[in-house]
Amino acid sequence: MTVSFTPNLLGPRVDERLAAFLDGWRAPVTDQDVVAAYRLLIDFILTGGKRVRPQLCYWGWRGAGGEDCEEIISAAASLELCHAGLLIHDDIMDGSELRRGRSTVHRSLAHLHAGPGAEAFGQAGGILLGTLSLAWSDALLSSCGVEPARLRAAHHLFDAMRAEVISGQYLDILSQLRTGASVEQALTTIRYKTAKYTVERPLQIGGALAGGTPELLASYSAFGLPLGEAFQLRDDVLGTFGSSEETGKSALDDLRDGKQTVLFAQAVERATPAQLAYLRTWHGNPELAEEHAAEMRQILLDTGAIDRVESMIEERAGQAVEALDAAPIMPEARVALTALTAQLAHRDS
Amino acid sequence: MTVSFTPNLLGPRVDERLAAFLDGWRAPVTDQDVVAAYRLLIDFILTGGKRVRPQLCYWGWRGAGGEDCEEIISAAASLELCHAGLLIHDDIMDGSELRRGRSTVHRSLAHLHAGPGAEAFGQAGGILLGTLSLAWSDALLSSCGVEPARLRAAHHLFDAMRAEVISGQYLDILSQLRTGASVEQALTTIRYKTAKYTVERPLQIGGALAGGTPELLASYSAFGLPLGEAFQLRDDVLGTFGSSEETGKSALDDLRDGKQTVLFAQAVERATPAQLAYLRTWHGNPELAEEHAAEMRQILLDTGAIDRVESMIEERAGQAVEALDAAPIMPEARVALTALTAQLAHRDS
């Protein structure tokens, strides 16, 4: 089953809040190139993105009995600023050219200043703009207007989330140095890099802002972790088999960067010696072209790695639905999170 | 007059607070390479560094009438975590090898994983660890324990500070693409990159945490901006003329990176055609070796650029002292800040 992301009502509210917040952050210097860099960053933040983390944060709040209000929209929007900053840094680390169907931020900066040194300038500028977006994230969360004790509790979770996602990303880059991560190792990476960061913590941050009980926050873990893993497993499949029109990213990046995905680990476990030799030759090879990617995709199919990952997604989506059924949350939130579960596990972009 | 940094009583208290805080942040995953990366980061944060920003934050608090307490030590220490994160990123952007007399964080990471891909791994890992330190900074400030309304006011200044330093650093990397920044342009860069970030905002953050009046915060600007400029002008002189034993950095980096310092801009304004040709050939040239650096230093002396910068430092130190005399602050703070003024403008490392 494939369900497209349906336009949601929250997205536009989050975007509006982000636009208003960012409008208050003009470049502190008048230099036109700094102003242009701010514009580029703000444009990246406001254009594209599925606002997954803000939606989960919002429904985490509603699930805990929080009423719809502007404070939770601000807090939810702050997660998008964090995400934008991490994506900008991630694209530098991976040397990616495309994001959200457009040039990545560091590539755009390099284009703005074509000439000797443009490449290094783009990377340096991208590090700075990513850090700025991360700082804005914290500024928006800290000023969202929720009462101080609850904000403190949520901020602790926000702090944990940042340490977790960074550790997960660190595991991810380590795995590219180590040939042959096991399925188990690849699952640990996505638990930190994605499942906690994208689903569990956003739900819990919303829940904590609304004064949710420890029992409620634990139920968000039980629901969020398997759903987050399913989300990343789907992302890995789309990253290799999706078209760049759909995903906004190159379908060669994961293979060329040698990403030790669960999908790849499943293929390695099942490959014949000849298939294995091919995978080892081209995985992480900067010379990889579309023809090699096509052959690798065929191996992912022929070994049954794809089927296995699809089963893993189903298992985890099932676990998430079960945990959601048992969670002590408000009915509207249950309905919304059930719909989000299907979208996140089965999306096609 | 040259005054060495004297050991201060605050430094050890800040270090102790940092160590206790960091002890609470164990790596969330058990992977030994992640644990090693955490250790490396914590070691970088705790070893070396003059704790300039925490001292200014502390005396900003005391100047506003705040009593000595643990809350202000925590808030002051948070600035050091921010600074560590920015330094780690800065060293990646500049491709620096040495910091605080040791291998930079990204170089240490590359050493840990020698082999193909080690260089890129070090840079990616350094981006992540720098971001982690920045996140910790925010976590420590947000949990320092000062009452919420004052913490909010200080957090706004902290947010402004981060946007300002990033804009200043962006101006700095832009200037490396543009040949021939004027003295005025170079001064704008250091105002944002250093003066506001290192002196003005730390003082004001301390002041705001203690409930300081707008008049007090304005007096911290009047004092902090000239002192911060003097500090950076001194840093530029040391960066080119200091020994790496004293500064912990290479005395070639600024010249090889083509840093458009005020010192360099002064030399360009005063150079003969032959001197100018030499400066243009070697400034920002990756092939620059010690012999070329020695010749460039001679030109900086012969043109009178050094003398001019020393005068600029004196002027600014004088303005700072005058502003401090007029500032409505507590007597102990006035004494401490007067001593700090001499140390920051005249230090030899």
Side-chain angles (χ1 to χ4, degrees):
Chain A
M1 179 183 70
T2 298
V3 180
S4 291
F5 261 86
T6 48
N8 65 80
L9 297 168
L10 268 180
R13 288 178 67 194
V14 167
D15 288 351
E16 206 177 301
R17 184 69 196 91
L18 285 173
F21 173 78
L22 294 169
D23 200 48
W25 277 100
R26 301 300 167 91
V29 298
T30 55
D31 185 290
Q32 283 312 300
D33 286 330
V34 178
V35 172
Y38 263 67
R39 203 178 308 124
L40 195 148
L41 172 60
I42 290 173
D43 195 40
F44 174 73
I45 293 166
L46 293 179
T47 311
K50 296 184 277 292
R51 312 305 187 211
V52 171
R53 295 153 197 86
Q55 291 186 64
L56 288 162
C57 181
Y58 176 85
W59 289 110
W61 161 278
R62 294 290 306 273
E67 295 289 323
D68 180 82
C69 62
E70 286 313 300
E71 286 81 354
I72 188 58
I73 298 293
S74 291
S78 78
L79 298 185
E80 198 63 27
L81 293 169
C82 175
H83 190 54
L86 292 176
L87 288 181
I88 292 168
H89 284 178
D90 205 42
D91 286 337
I92 295 169
M93 296 191 271
D94 288 346
S96 302
E97 300 274 329
L98 277 184
R99 169 71 72 182
R100 297 178 175 171
R102 309 199 300 177
S103 193
T104 49
V105 167
H106 70 283
R107 291 299 310 146
S108 297
L109 291 175
H111 288 313
L112 277 182
H113 298 277
E119 199 68 28
F121 174 82
Q123 294 191 3
I127 291 175
L128 292 173
L129 294 186
T131 299
L132 182 57
S133 193
L134 285 159
W136 281 343
S137 158
D138 167 46
L140 181 51
L141 179 61
S142 298
S143 64
C144 70
V146 170
E147 64 99 351
R150 291 180 176 182
L151 182 59
R152 282 294 321 126
H155 209 294
H156 274 303
L157 294 164
F158 181 67
D159 296 336
M161 179 191 83
R162 290 185 293 186
E164 286 158 356
V165 67
I166 288 168
S167 297
Q169 288 185 290
Y170 198 85
L171 282 175
D172 203 29
I173 61 169
L174 276 170
S175 77
Q176 286 167 260
L177 291 182
R178 304 167 174 166
T179 47
S182 66
V183 170
E184 204 44 56
Q185 287 170 325
L187 277 170
T188 300
T189 301
I190 70 174
R191 191 160 306 134
Y192 285 88
K193 185 182 82 163
T194 307
K196 294 172 91 59
Y197 166 65
T198 301
V199 187
E200 181 199 34
R201 296 306 193 184
L203 282 165
Q204 289 186 329
I205 289 168
L209 287 168
T213 61
E215 187 201 1
L216 177 91
L217 300 189
S219 78
Y220 283 160
S221 280
F223 163 65
L225 289 176
L227 176 57
E229 290 184 22
F231 175 79
Q232 181 62 54
L233 293 171
R234 171 66 56 217
D235 204 59
D236 292 343
V237 173
L238 290 169
T240 301
F241 287 85
S243 72
S244 67
E245 288 76 42
E246 283 166 349
T247 64
K249 297 184 272 198
S250 162
L252 299 187
D253 281 359
D254 279 7
L255 298 174
R256 187 154 47 202
D257 290 345
K259 285 271 174 212
Q260 299 283 341
T261 60
V262 172
L263 175 61
F264 187 79
Q266 290 286 9
V268 166
E269 279 195 4
R270 288 165 168 71
T272 64
Q275 289 172 327
L276 191 60
Y278 197 90
L279 292 178
R280 292 251 184 271
T281 302
W282 290 105
H283 194 236
N285 188 328
E287 306 294 312
L288 177 129
E290 179 47 40
E291 61 188 284
H292 313 113
E295 179 62 29
M296 288 174 87
R297 289 187 198 107
Q298 193 59 50
I299 295 175
L300 294 172
L301 285 165
D302 293 346
T303 51
I306 277 285
D307 286 345
R308 183 69 198 103
V309 169
E310 289 290 349
S311 305
M312 291 176 79
I313 293 172
E314 286 312 313
E315 278 163 35
R316 282 162 177 75
Q319 287 164 5
V321 168
E322 228 170 85
L324 188 59
D325 286 344
I329 60 172
M330 305 301 280
E332 314 84 8
R334 196 184 308 281
V335 172
L337 291 172
T338 302
L340 267 171
T341 302
Q343 289 175 20
L344 295 177
H346 301 291
R347 73 196 202 278
D348 56 14
S349 72
Chain B
M1 179 183 68
T2 298
V3 181
S4 291
F5 261 86
T6 48
N8 65 80
L9 297 168
L10 268 180
R13 288 178 67 195
V14 167
D15 287 350
E16 205 177 303
R17 184 69 196 93
L18 284 173
F21 174 77
L22 294 169
D23 200 48
W25 277 100
R26 301 301 166 90
V29 298
T30 56
D31 186 290
Q32 283 311 300
D33 286 329
V34 178
V35 172
Y38 264 66
R39 204 178 307 125
L40 195 148
L41 172 59
I42 290 174
D43 196 41
F44 174 73
I45 293 167
L46 294 179
T47 311
K50 295 183 276 292
R51 313 305 188 211
V52 172
R53 295 153 196 87
Q55 290 186 65
L56 288 161
C57 180
Y58 176 85
W59 288 111
W61 161 279
R62 293 290 304 273
E67 295 289 322
D68 180 82
C69 61
E70 286 315 299
E71 286 80 354
I72 188 58
I73 298 294
S74 292
S78 78
L79 298 185
E80 197 62 27
L81 293 168
C82 175
H83 189 53
L86 293 176
L87 288 181
I88 293 168
H89 284 178
D90 205 41
D91 286 336
I92 296 170
M93 296 191 272
D94 287 346
S96 301
E97 301 274 327
L98 277 184
R99 169 72 70 180
R100 297 176 175 173
R102 308 200 300 177
S103 193
T104 49
V105 167
H106 71 282
R107 291 298 310 146
S108 297
L109 291 174
H111 288 314
L112 277 182
H113 299 278
E119 201 67 27
F121 174 83
Q123 294 191 3
I127 292 175
L128 292 173
L129 294 186
T131 300
L132 182 57
S133 194
L134 286 159
W136 281 342
S137 159
D138 167 46
L140 181 51
L141 179 61
S142 298
S143 64
C144 70
V146 171
E147 64 100 352
R150 291 179 176 183
L151 182 59
R152 282 297 319 129
H155 209 295
H156 274 303
L157 294 163
F158 182 67
D159 296 336
M161 179 191 82
R162 291 185 292 187
E164 285 158 356
V165 67
I166 289 168
S167 297
Q169 289 185 289
Y170 198 84
L171 282 174
D172 203 28
I173 60 169
L174 275 170
S175 77
Q176 287 169 261
L177 292 181
R178 304 167 174 168
T179 46
S182 67
V183 170
E184 204 44 57
Q185 287 170 325
L187 277 170
T188 300
T189 301
I190 71 174
R191 192 160 304 136
Y192 285 88
K193 185 182 83 162
T194 308
K196 294 172 91 59
Y197 166 65
T198 300
V199 187
E200 182 198 33
R201 295 307 192 182
L203 283 165
Q204 289 186 329
I205 289 168
L209 286 169
T213 60
E215 186 200 2
L216 177 91
L217 301 189
S219 77
Y220 283 160
S221 280
F223 163 65
L225 289 176
L227 176 56
E229 289 184 22
F231 175 79
Q232 181 63 55
L233 293 171
R234 171 65 57 217
D235 203 59
D236 292 343
V237 172
L238 289 170
T240 300
F241 287 85
S243 73
S244 68
E245 287 76 43
E246 284 165 351
T247 64
K249 297 183 272 196
S250 163
L252 300 186
D253 282 359
D254 279 7
L255 297 174
R256 187 153 47 201
D257 290 345
K259 285 273 175 211
Q260 299 284 342
T261 59
V262 171
L263 175 61
F264 187 79
Q266 292 285 9
V268 167
E269 280 194 3
R270 288 163 169 72
T272 64
Q275 289 171 328
L276 190 61
Y278 197 90
L279 293 178
R280 292 250 184 273
T281 302
W282 291 106
H283 195 236
N285 188 327
E287 307 294 312
L288 177 129
E290 179 47 40
E291 61 190 283
H292 313 113
E295 179 63 29
M296 288 175 86
R297 289 187 198 107
Q298 194 58 51
I299 296 174
L300 295 172
L301 285 164
D302 293 345
T303 51
I306 277 284
D307 286 345
R308 183 67 197 103
V309 168
E310 289 291 348
S311 306
M312 292 176 79
I313 293 172
E314 286 312 314
E315 277 164 36
R316 283 162 177 76
Q319 288 165 6
V321 167
E322 228 170 86
L324 188 59
D325 286 345
I329 61 171
M330 305 301 280
E332 314 85 6
R334 195 183 309 279
V335 171
L337 291 173
T338 303
L340 267 171
T341 302
Q343 289 176 21
L344 295 177
H346 301 292
R347 73 196 201 277
D348 56 14
S349 72

